[in-house]
């Protein structure tokens, strides 16, 4: 989620550069685009990659699941990108940018001569349209929170035919890193749907793939439901290599839906796929023993992914979901949540679910964030007696047969939902089931198909607790703004709140907005440390572990530079090529 050398230190240097420029009244200007460590390659061939599930949408604005985001990243382009290997920003659809001395204005110059995958030109109007969509509350883009600075939406305006201006209510701590990941949309294809209020249904899975238009290295060709999505080289893609050869090198990118890590490894070993990423420790160990037999394994080290258990704290309708609403009375008591956390054996999760290739977590920020991690968060050892004390304080007691009951005598049982395609999460759920049985809590593990799980978590709210993972796209706190803000779409325990449901969520909102809007790194650190401390105290989610980023690639695939942040392998897919022709 080739090893990287101290990647967390890079954002610190970049932030220092930004502060120095601001202090001296200088504007920041992009350097010319470089190809980094990539070497010129040969064109042709296909790359086959396994996804853990079928995508849920082709719409990049609405993509929140991993498969949808993986595909969207290959079909679309952004103004500026973060190089996943160096963590430095690079020009993309914008060739250069300036930041005003007060940090409140960005002026971007667009690359000329760029065309969408259908041949239509890209320009300022597409940028203006894209940000109107991202900022539209009716669309509900998960990225919208990143565009609210100082309590007000960023304003986007035309300077001339090649220049766009972004004005912010206050300085933005992450500077130009803000623009990474915002796919630029084709106004000529999507404006009608947006104006008619149909944008959220545009580019669904029933859309003919050829109608999905973007600025990325590939364009969609076909989709076989439940099996695969096929992309082909975008003939209008703007990048070229050092020799002037148009990228990407690959003719096709084939993405197979292969639920389950064991199945993914089996397909890789059979030669059906060429890349496998985010391996479990057990599968990695097995592949490591055979490394050199037609493939190479890699460990990108500590990443930004963190796995956690979270409670359903949504305002569910007791008439339609009476059982869930009844159990929420337990979940809303912080003493109950703390008792569950105290009963969980995190080192055992690392040892048994990840085969030692992970870091146990007591706070919500994984080790890949480096200096942003709050190292002062306590890491208490598992303690069933302390968990029982907290439960007794909250009015729970052990019944005649040892089962925990609440004040009304109702046995305490609940379900942990997770996705069938991730064996580690299923294993973690089983380990937690055993841990909680020791304090009298009954747990049922409910593995679900990934799309069904996401529907329950984000639409019906018909679940008790769930185990899930999140991964950031940059080692900066701002990448998880939509997780910690109460209004965020990824505020998983109670998403998209109109106003904070609790005083502690209100305080997190204040702190996250404070750190977003200051260029004082120490002030940002203090604010984000407090956010982490509040989450560790209130435990709407119970941090469990952060896995190392493990994978393997087929021999002969060149320019592979695995990264600790997503997308781990395909972030530079336009540069990948086969050393020798493949059938």
């Amino acid at each position: 989620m080739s090893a990287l050398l101290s990647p967390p230190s890079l954002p610190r240097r970049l932030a220092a550069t930004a502060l120095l420029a601001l202090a001296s009244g200088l504007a920041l200007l992009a350097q010319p685009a470089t190809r980094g460590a990539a070497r010129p390659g040969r064109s042709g061939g296909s790359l086959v990659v396994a996804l853990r599930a079928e995508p849920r949408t082709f719409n990049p604005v609405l993509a929140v699941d991993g498969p949808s985001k993986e595909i969207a990243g290959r079909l679309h382009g952004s103004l500026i990108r973060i190089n996943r290997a160096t963590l430095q920003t690079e020009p993309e659809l914008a060739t250069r940018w300036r930041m005003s001395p007060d940090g409140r204005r960005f002026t971007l110059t667009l690359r000329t001569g760029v065309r969408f995958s259908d041949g239509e030109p890209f320009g300022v109007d597409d940028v203006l349209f894209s940000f109107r969509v991202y900022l539209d509350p009716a669309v509900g883009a998960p990225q919208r929170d990143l565009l609210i600075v100082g309590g007000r939406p960023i304003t986007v305006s035309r300077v001339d035919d090649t220049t766009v201006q972004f004005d912010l209510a206050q300085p933005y701590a992450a500077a130009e890193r803000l623009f990474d990941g915002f796919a630029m949309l084709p106004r000529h294809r999507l404006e009608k749907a947006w104006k008619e209020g149909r944008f959220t249904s545009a580019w669904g899975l029933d859309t003919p793939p050829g109608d999905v238009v973007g600025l990325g290295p590939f364009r969609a060709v076909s989709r076989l439901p439940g099996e695969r999505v096929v992309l082909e080289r975008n003939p209008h893609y703007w990048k070229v290599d050092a020799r002037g050869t148009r990228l990407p090198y690959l003719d096709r990118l084939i993405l197979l839906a292969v639920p389950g890590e064991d199945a993914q490894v089996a397909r890789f070993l059979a030669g059906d796929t060429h890349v496998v990423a985010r391996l479990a420790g057990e599968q990695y160990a097995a592949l490591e023993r055979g490394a050199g037999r037609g493939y190479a394994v890699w460990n990108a080290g500590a990443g930004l992914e963190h796995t956690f258990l979270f409670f359903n704290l949504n305002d569910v309708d007791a008439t339609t979901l009476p059982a869930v609403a009844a159990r929420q009375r337990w979940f809303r008591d912080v003493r109950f949540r703390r008792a569950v956390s105290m009963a969980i054996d995190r080192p055992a999760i690392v040892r048994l679910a990840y085969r030692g290739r992970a870091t146990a977590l007591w706070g919500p920020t994984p080790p890949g964030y480096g200096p942003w991690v709050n190292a002062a968060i306590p890491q208490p050892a598992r303690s069933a007696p302390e968990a029982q004390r907290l439960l007794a304080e909250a009015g729970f007691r052990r019944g005649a047969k040892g089962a925990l009951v609440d004040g009304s005598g109702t046995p305490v049982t609940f379900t942990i939902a997770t996705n069938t395609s991730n064996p580690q999460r299923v294993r973690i759920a089983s380990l937690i089931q055993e841990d909680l049985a020791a304090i009298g809590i009954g747990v049922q593990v409910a593995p679900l198909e990934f799309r069904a799980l996401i529907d329950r978590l984000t639409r019906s709210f018909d679940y008790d607790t769930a185990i899930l993972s999140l991964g950031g796209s940059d080692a900066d706190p701002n990448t998880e703004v939509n997780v910690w803000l109460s209004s965020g779409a990824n505020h998983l325990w109670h998403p998209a709140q109109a106003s904070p449901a609790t005083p502690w969520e209100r305080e997190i909102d204040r702190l996250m907005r404070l750190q977003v809007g200051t260029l004082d790194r120490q002030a940002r650190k203090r604010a984000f440390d407090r956010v982490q401390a509040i989450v560790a105290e209130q435990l709407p989610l119970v941090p469990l572990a952060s896995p190392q980023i493990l994978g393997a690639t087929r021999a002969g695939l060149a320019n592979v530079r695995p990264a600790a942040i997503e997308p781990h392998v395909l972030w530079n897919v336009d540069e990948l090529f086969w050393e020798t022709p493949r059938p």
Side-chain angles (χ1 to χ4, degrees):
M1 296 221 74
S2 125
L4 301 180
L5 297 177
S6 306
S9 66
L10 287 168
R12 181 184 300 176
R13 292 204 302 271
L14 294 174
T17 302
L19 291 173
L20 180 62
L22 288 171
S24 59
L26 298 176
L28 294 181
L29 188 65
Q31 298 300 310
T34 63
R35 305 314 302 158
R39 59 188 175 91
R42 59 179 304 279
S43 298
S46 299
L47 182 67
V48 185
V49 178
L51 302 177
R52 295 191 176 185
E54 190 177 24
R56 299 182 70 235
T57 182
F58 285 130
N59 191 322
V61 178
L62 305 177
V64 294
D65 60 295
S68 297
K69 291 194 292 185
E70 192 82 73
I71 291 173
R74 316 292 76 78
L75 298 177
H76 302 282
S78 55
L79 296 172
I80 297 169
R81 81 162 179 174
I82 298 169
N83 182 305
R84 267 48 180 176
T86 67
L87 295 187
Q88 298 185 56
T89 51
E90 295 179 340
E92 282 284 293
L93 298 172
T95 58
R96 60 183 182 272
W97 55 89
R98 298 189 305 276
M99 182 168 66
S100 63
D102 64 2
R104 295 175 56 185
R105 172 172 292 173
F106 288 88
T107 306
L108 277 65
T109 301
L110 301 186
R111 194 175 299 278
T112 58
V114 175
R115 294 184 177 273
F116 286 97
S117 56
D118 63 355
E120 291 295 313
F122 161 75
V124 169
D125 288 340
D126 298 296
V127 177
L128 300 179
F129 169 70
S130 298
F131 283 96
R132 283 199 296 270
V133 171
Y134 284 112
L135 284 164
D136 184 355
V139 171
Q143 307 96 319
R144 184 175 186 270
D145 291 319
L146 296 173
L147 301 176
I148 307 300
V149 180
R152 298 207 300 269
I154 288 175
T155 61
V156 189
S157 57
R158 173 198 298 268
V159 176
D160 56 40
D161 287 346
T162 60
T163 311
V164 186
Q165 180 173 293
F166 295 81
D167 287 292
L168 290 63
Q170 64 185 34
Y172 186 77
E176 76 276 5
R177 304 173 86 82
L178 162 71
F179 298 101
D180 176 78
F182 282 91
M184 293 297 96
L185 308 173
R187 177 188 174 194
H188 65 284
R189 290 276 185 161
L190 291 172
E191 186 177 43
K192 185 173 185 291
W194 178 65
K195 285 184 174 180
E196 294 176 354
R198 297 184 292 103
F199 186 86
T200 55
S201 60
W203 286 2
L205 291 184
D206 56 347
T207 303
D211 289 350
V212 179
V213 171
L215 294 160
F218 292 90
R219 62 184 182 185
V221 177
S222 65
R223 168 179 171 260
L224 185 59
E227 291 193 25
R228 70 174 70 90
V229 175
V230 179
L231 313 182
E232 69 177 4
R233 175 193 284 124
N234 174 5
H236 302 288
Y237 189 53
W238 58 272
K239 288 187 183 180
V240 296
D241 68 11
R243 297 181 306 199
T245 302
R246 186 173 294 277
L247 301 178
Y249 296 120
L250 297 168
D251 290 330
R252 284 170 299 280
L253 179 61
I254 302 169
L255 301 119
L256 305 182
V258 185
E261 290 179 1
D262 289 339
Q264 288 197 349
V265 171
R267 296 290 294 269
F268 178 77
L269 288 173
D272 297 337
T273 62
H274 304 130
V275 175
V276 60
R278 296 176 61 202
L279 287 169
E282 185 174 0
Q283 282 93 354
Y284 180 80
L287 286 177
E288 194 174 33
R289 288 191 291 271
R293 302 173 187 171
Y295 63 86
V297 297
W298 47 264
N299 182 347
L304 306 185
E305 180 179 332
H306 50 120
T307 300
F308 45 84
L309 170 79
F310 62 98
F311 300 88
N312 182 353
L313 300 180
N314 290 279
D315 295 325
V316 303
D317 187 341
T319 60
T320 57
L321 295 172
V324 172
R327 289 187 283 271
Q328 282 187 320
R329 291 197 299 270
W330 311 330
F331 304 155
R332 292 189 192 283
D333 191 324
V334 68
R335 294 168 296 186
F336 183 88
R337 302 195 298 268
R338 288 173 181 166
V340 168
S341 179
M342 284 299 303
I344 294 174
D345 189 343
R346 290 168 173 82
I349 288 174
V350 170
R351 186 175 66 256
L352 299 174
Y354 294 104
R355 302 297 179 185
R357 295 186 181 273
T359 302
L361 294 181
W362 284 262
T365 305
Y369 280 85
W372 294 109
V373 176
N374 182 350
I377 289 176
Q379 299 183 7
R382 179 196 181 212
S383 174
E386 176 62 13
Q388 290 169 334
R389 185 194 68 78
L390 288 165
L391 291 168
E393 184 182 300
F396 295 87
R397 59 183 174 82
R398 300 293 283 267
K401 295 183 179 181
L404 191 72
V405 297
D406 64 14
S408 64
T410 302
V412 178
T413 64
F414 61 84
T415 297
I416 299 178
T418 194
N419 53 309
T420 55
S421 59
N422 192 300
Q424 297 107 299
R425 293 179 199 159
V426 176
R427 178 65 171 135
I428 290 169
S430 297
L431 292 171
I432 293 175
Q433 181 184 47
E434 296 172 10
D435 289 341
L436 297 187
I439 59 172
I441 295 177
V443 169
Q444 294 81 44
V445 178
L448 300 171
E449 186 273 330
F450 187 70
R451 292 179 64 191
L453 174 65
I454 295 300
D455 283 341
R456 290 200 183 204
L457 301 182
T458 62
R459 295 182 181 178
S460 72
F461 305 122
D462 184 10
Y463 74 99
D464 294 332
T465 68
I467 292 175
L468 207 62
S469 301
L470 287 174
S473 58
D474 186 16
D476 186 279
N478 288 344
T479 61
E480 290 201 340
V481 163
N482 66 351
V483 176
W484 304 125
L485 286 183
S486 60
S487 59
N490 286 340
H491 193 73
L492 289 169
W493 61 91
H494 188 178
Q497 299 174 31
S499 60
T502 63
W504 55 268
E505 285 172 296
R506 187 181 306 279
E507 178 64 1
I508 287 176
D509 284 0
R510 184 188 73 81
L511 291 165
M512 286 303 294
R513 292 188 175 111
L514 185 154
Q515 70 85 27
V516 164
T518 180
L519 296 173
D520 181 336
R521 181 181 173 81
Q522 292 306 315
R524 291 190 71 201
K525 171 66 174 167
R526 288 191 298 271
F528 192 57
D529 275 356
R530 183 58 188 144
V531 168
Q532 296 170 74
I534 292 172
V535 174
E537 292 162 3
Q538 296 296 329
L539 292 171
L541 55 79
V542 178
L544 300 172
S546 176
Q548 295 173 5
I549 308 304
L550 312 170
T553 52
R554 188 66 51 194
L557 184 63
N559 281 338
V560 176
R561 291 190 284 163
I565 59 177
E566 296 180 337
H568 305 297
V569 178
L570 298 185
W571 69 271
N572 66 329
V573 69
D574 53 352
E575 299 172 335
L576 303 183
F577 69 93
W578 291 108
E579 298 271 13
T580 57
R582 298 179 67 88

